[in-house]
Every structure is written in structure tokens, then in C-alpha cells.
């Protein structure tokens, strides 16, 4: 498999694949969600189970689906739909879960329920975004713009493991993961997380994350631009070609996400990781394209 | 005066102005610095005093300057040049200071010296960037990508005052200042600075910052894009047209700075504020254009 360097590569890869993933969708009462599902059906990489909103979904998918690839389960409310969809993932009846028109807190409540949810005990829940930025020559993964405010060392380690897994699924043989900070200097007094970075680098050197390159602290430009790295007289194996970025906190990750989508024309896909199966947790403001690419990443 | 909405507007405004500002330059031993100064001389909005490197500067400025607009002061080293340049600002012999090829720490050492420096007692030193982003219809100021790691409430208040001053100099009659956070929800437990934001909004409402609009917490998209604001059912007087952003910490500010310059084709100017006169503290990696626009903002 060649490495996937753009969303267009990703869709081509999925188009050529014979198998389909089973996606369960919670309360698909909005057209951005149904448009994304229609496109995935046209591409043929996913089957869908819609929980709730049967009549609306059928009208929206008219011409895109036949009975073999779409099923319906009744639900009385978005919350009821969430509980039923989560149970299907838990019982191996679905390979991924997608949020429709339901309050995020309500969906997470079902996902995180200790008895009936799908976050295994001890697993770290985090959000990973995959971005296709026109001005960058490869996909760029980053974490965490949405879930963990100030990651602990344990949480950062899990983020790196999830990154390595997704990069591997994208055919990236030796992913380059950059630990982001505003400078390249470790300063454990003002920025304690830079000490964590040093420990993570050591673990990576010992092969704890498999065949990945981890370096940091590096700033965003040094991570993604070879000329900027050279201009600072820095020598990093990332070499301006980061595949993935670990941000120090949610504020930095969120600003990056919103800047590339607002000002750079970037397309993004987003997934919750840590759960038994990937959860597509797009926000209301996301475009149908973003939801479609999230489905594609969840189906890889 | 019409409000200045781009660097091109800014240069036109300075071209039409009769008066010139006096800029003292510390150890201009690199061509990015001299190119920026040459362009400012061609535009005619500044006179220069170069401290150190006379021979190099004269060769670089050949054809751009005559004796009436350029002076030289001898210096033995970058550090000596910094001390002399700071003294000139202190003695009202210069209106702004520009960093050449000198280590930032060495320059700041001279600037911050309690006896001979130029940071008045009790003043807050912070960094403000002014960005011209092709995809945005106005200049966007933000703070702090470079100096204060995690601003205190007092420091944030000073940042807003500096923002208001620069916006006023740019002819923006009622600047819109947005307090950035990853969501619009105040959460004093996990994000204590959102409580500070509430207090700052109250001060703004009482007119403590003059004729400015301050709102937050708002995320980056809600601050800079009306459609994103509407999509979230939020009603803010910023209305997707922020003139200035206060970032929660240096990591978020630094990521924004580096993302817009690397991926969005943005031009930027940067200034230290709080000192007796503006200090242009560009980094080695900055382009001659960036240094030129910084000179222009310092000369306004």
C-alpha cells in the first residue's frame, strides 16, 4: 500500500477496497449528516444503520441506497438513539459510531456509561483531527483540539499511540510525530510539559511506540517547514515533514484547527479515540465534506 | 483619517505623511534588517540611527539614503550597541528601537535594565503582532505570541489597553477585541482565565478601555467569521469582525502566528509594548517584508 497523502488518496484507496465497514448513526435529522452518508454509500465503503429518523433519512438518501446497505432501528428520541447505537457497537454489530443531531454531552453520556458504554476501563478518551491543508504535502494529524484540556503525561502517551495506529492505517511506514511548544527550548519551570516531552522522546527512542520518530519541543514552523528549521540552526529528524502534532493544550490545538479551516482552506476529519470503535463527533458547524472525510477515516 | 485595513493602506498612509520617525537600529549586520530599512527610507516615513556596523550598512544602503536621513553611532559589539541604542530612546533621541543581529536575550537585558533601561517601573512588557491575512478583510492584531507565557489578569488588562492604542493609531474608531477560548462557555474550574474574561468584559462595559467593544470567551472562528457565529446561535457584538484577539496563553498565540505565516500567506508586523517607545523585535526567521511592516507600525 502506498501511503495516503491527501483525502483524495484516501477516497481512492477506499473505492478500490472490496469490504465495507458498518457505521451506526445516531439521530440523523440534519442534512449535513445525511449528505455525508449518501456520499459514503455512493463510494461504497460503508453500510449504515440509522437509529431514529427513518422517514427523514429515507427521503434524503433516495437514489443513493438500496436495502442491502442501509438498515433502520427505531428510536424515540436522540438520547434513546444514542443508547441503542452504543449498544450495537458494544455487541459488535457496528464498526464505528457517528453523531447526528444530538447534543454532544448526551451522546458522550451514553458512550462513557461505565456499565453500558464503549470506553474500556482505563482507556484515555481523546480527539484526533486529520487535516488536508492545501499548502502542505501530506495529511497532518493533530491532537487534542476538543476533549482533553491539559493532557497529563499518561494522556500524551496514549495520544501518540493512537497517532501511530492511524498513521499505520494510512500506510505511513515511519510516521514523524512532533511535540509542539512555542520554542525549541525545554523549560521545566515555566512549561512543565516540556519535561514530559523529554521523557516521551526517550520512550520513543526505546521503541515503545513502534517504528515512529518522535521529537520535540519544536514549534509549528520548525515541525512543518524545512527552511524554518534550517533558519534556526536546528537539527531534527522531523525535518519539516511532521505527519502528526501533539499540542501542549486544548487552546493551542483548537486555535490550529480553527485557523486552518477558516483561513487556509483546509479540509478536516475528526475522530474520538480510546473507545471500542471510532466515534465521529463532528460539530454542527462542520461541513458535509468534513463529516464525509471523518466517515472515510473511521472506515479505513 | 480612514481606517487602515491592510499593510498596503498603512504604507499609503505613511507615504502621504510629512513627518518622519527616528528609528535607532541595534547592530544591523544582516541583510533582512538593512533591506527593511532601505525600503522605509525609500518610502520616506523614517530616519535611521545605526549603532554599530557602519561600513556594512553604508554598502547595503547605497542609493537608498542621503546623509540627512541616516546617522551612525560607533559600537564595539552587539551588547555595546544595545546599551547605546537604549540610552538614545531613554534620552528622547529616538522614537523607536529595532533589533538587528543580536541575541534577543542580550537586547532585552539592556531594555529591561532597572537603572538604564526603557521599561517604566510597573509597566507590563508584552508582544503584539499585527497580521495582514489574505482571507480576512481587515488587519488582525493579537497578543501574546512571544513574551508572556500565561498572562495574569493585570497583564491581560494592559494588553487590551495597548491593543486599543494601536487600533486608534490605525484609525479604527471602535475596535472589536475578542477574548479567545476553545469554546464560548465560561468554566472557571478548568479554565480559570475565563473568569478573568468576565471581569474584563465588565470593565469594558464601564468604559475603562475607552470606545472599544470587548467580548469573550469566543473561539477563533466565532470571532472572525459571522457565519460561524450564526451557526452556533451566538450573539456577540464582535459579529465575526474582530480587530484584535487576546489569546489565553503563549502556546495558542504562537501557534496562530506560525500557522497564518506558514499556511495562509499572511504578512505580519510585531512590536514590544510597555516600553517607553516601541521595540521591533523580529526574529531571525522573519522576512524583510515582516521587518519592514514592523518598522511601519512602529512609525505610525
Amino acid at each position: 500500500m502506498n501511503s495516503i497523502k491527501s483525502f483524495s488518496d484516501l477516497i481512492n484507496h477506499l473505492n478500490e477496497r472490496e469490504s465495507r465497514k458498518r457505521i451506526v448513526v445516531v439521530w440523523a435529522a440534519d442534512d449535513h449528516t445525511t449528505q455525508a452518508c449518501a456520499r459514503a454509500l455512493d463510494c461504497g465503503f460503508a453500510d449504515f444503520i440509522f437509529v431514529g429518523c427513518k422517514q427523514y433519512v429515507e427521503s434524503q438518501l433516495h437514489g443513493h441506497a438500496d436495502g442491502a446497505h442501509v438498515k433502520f432501528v427505531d428510536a424515540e428520541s436522540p438520547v434513546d438513539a444514542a443508547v441503542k447505537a452504543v449498544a450495537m457497537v458494544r455487541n459488535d454489530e457496528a464498526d464505528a459510531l457517528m453523531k447526528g443531531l444530538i447534543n454532544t454531552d448526551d451522546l458522550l453520556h451514553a458512550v462513557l456509561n461505565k456499565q453500558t458504554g464503549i470506553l474500556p476501563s482505563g482507556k484515555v478518551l481523546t480527539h484526533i483531527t486529520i487535516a488536508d491543508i492545501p499548502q502542505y504535502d501530506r495529511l497532518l494529524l493533530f491532537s487534542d483540539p476538543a476533549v482533553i484540556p491539559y493532557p497529563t503525561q499518561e494522556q500524551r502517551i496514549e495520544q501518540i499511540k493512537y497517532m501511530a495506529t492511524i498513521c499505520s492505517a494510512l500506510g505511513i511506514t515511519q510516521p514523524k510525530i512532533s511535540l509542539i511548544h512555542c520554542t525549541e527550548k525545554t523549560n521545566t519551570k515555566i512549561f512543565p510539559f516540556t519535561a514530559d516531552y523529554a521523557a516521551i522522546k526517550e520512550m520513543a527512542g526505546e521503541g515503545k511506540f513502534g517504528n515512529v520518530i518522535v521529537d520535540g519541543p519544536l514549534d509549528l514552523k520548525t515541525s512543518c517547514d524545512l527552511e524554518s528549521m534550517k533558519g534556526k540552526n536546528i537539527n531534527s529528524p522531523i525535518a519539516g515533514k511532521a505527519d502528526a502534532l501533539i499540542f501542549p493544550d486544548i487552546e493551542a490545538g483548537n486555535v490550529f484547527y480553527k485557523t486552518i479551516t477558516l483561513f487556509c482552506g483546509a479540509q478536516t476529519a475528526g475522530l474520538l479515540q480510546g473507545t471500542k470503535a471510532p466515534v465521529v463527533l463532528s460539530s454542527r458547524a462542520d461541513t458535509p465534506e468534513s463529516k464525509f472525510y471523518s466517515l472515510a477515516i473511521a472506515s479505513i
Side-chain angles (χ1 to χ4, degrees), chain A:
Chain A
M1 171 183 175
N2 289 327
S3 79
I4 291 169
K5 297 208 163 193
S6 65
F7 284 153
S8 145
D9 285 356
L10 173 65
I11 303 309
N12 288 339
H13 169 75
L14 291 175
N15 277 339
E16 287 167 15
R17 198 180 64 180
E18 297 278 316
S19 63
R20 305 165 78 109
K21 296 284 180 177
R22 302 162 302 167
I23 317 276
V24 61
V25 188
V26 177
W27 206 259
D30 67 293
D31 60 348
H32 282 200
T33 299
T34 53
Q35 282 170 30
C37 297
R39 204 165 150 196
L41 283 163
D42 292 346
C43 287
F45 61 74
D47 293 342
F48 286 92
I49 307 146
F50 291 96
V51 187
C53 315
K54 180 177 180 184
Q55 209 176 341
Y56 176 77
V57 174
E58 277 185 327
S59 70
Q60 294 288 308
L61 293 188
H62 186 72
H64 294 280
D66 60 47
H69 298 300
V70 175
K71 287 178 193 162
F72 293 94
V73 171
D74 286 338
E76 310 212 334
S77 66
V79 169
D80 182 42
V83 171
K84 285 176 173 161
V86 164
M88 296 186 76
V89 171
R90 197 175 164 91
N91 299 330
D92 293 321
E93 295 163 46
D95 305 305
L97 187 149
M98 183 185 194
K99 172 183 179 292
L101 199 64
I102 172 175
N103 192 297
T104 300
D105 290 345
D106 288 339
L107 179 62
L108 285 181
H109 195 256
V111 166
L112 301 179
N113 184 292
K114 290 222 168 97
Q115 272 74 50
T116 60
I118 50 172
L119 184 71
S121 171
K123 290 289 275 185
V124 169
L125 186 77
T126 191
H127 189 280
I128 291 185
T129 304
I130 300 97
D132 188 334
I133 305 174
Q135 300 83 350
Y136 199 53
D137 72 349
R138 60 193 62 214
L139 291 174
L140 188 56
L141 285 69
F142 59 96
S143 191
D144 175 332
V147 173
I148 304 176
Y150 300 96
T152 62
Q153 175 72 330
E154 183 206 352
Q155 289 171 328
R156 278 188 223 284
I157 288 170
E158 292 305 305
Q159 287 175 341
I160 290 174
K161 289 180 183 169
Y162 299 146
M163 291 287 192
T165 303
I166 299 179
C167 284
S168 170
L170 293 170
I172 303 167
T173 47
Q174 192 184 41
K176 297 183 172 74
I177 302 177
S178 184
L179 308 169
I180 299 295
H181 178 37
C182 59
T183 84
E184 280 70 36
K185 287 174 197 152
T186 294
N187 180 334
T188 58
K189 198 172 155 196
I190 300 176
F191 304 105
F193 61 83
T194 59
D196 292 353
Y197 285 3
I200 288 175
K201 269 172 68 176
E202 205 174 304
M203 289 176 67
E206 293 162 357
K208 297 264 169 72
F209 306 118
N211 187 22
V212 301
I213 292 172
V214 179
D215 199 18
L218 293 171
D219 80 14
L220 188 91
K221 272 182 144 169
T222 311
S223 303
C224 298
D225 181 50
L226 186 59
E227 292 310 311
S228 298
M229 190 188 91
K230 286 181 182 168
K232 279 186 159 182
N233 290 323
I234 287 161
N235 194 4
S236 164
I238 303 284
K241 294 185 179 300
D243 297 295
L245 312 175
I246 302 287
F247 282 106
D249 62 37
I250 196 171
E251 302 296 337
N254 195 267
V255 161
F256 184 67
Y257 172 71
K258 282 164 182 168
T259 304
I260 59 171
T261 49
L262 182 60
F263 292 135
C264 311
Q267 296 283 357
T268 59
L271 290 178
L272 283 186
Q273 294 284 287
T275 42
K276 182 171 184 284
V279 174
V280 175
L281 197 72
S282 315
S283 74
R284 282 164 297 173
D286 286 335
T287 59
E289 285 71 30
S290 173
K291 289 183 203 281
F292 169 65
Y293 294 128
S294 298
L295 278 175
I297 290 279
S299 303
I300 206 172

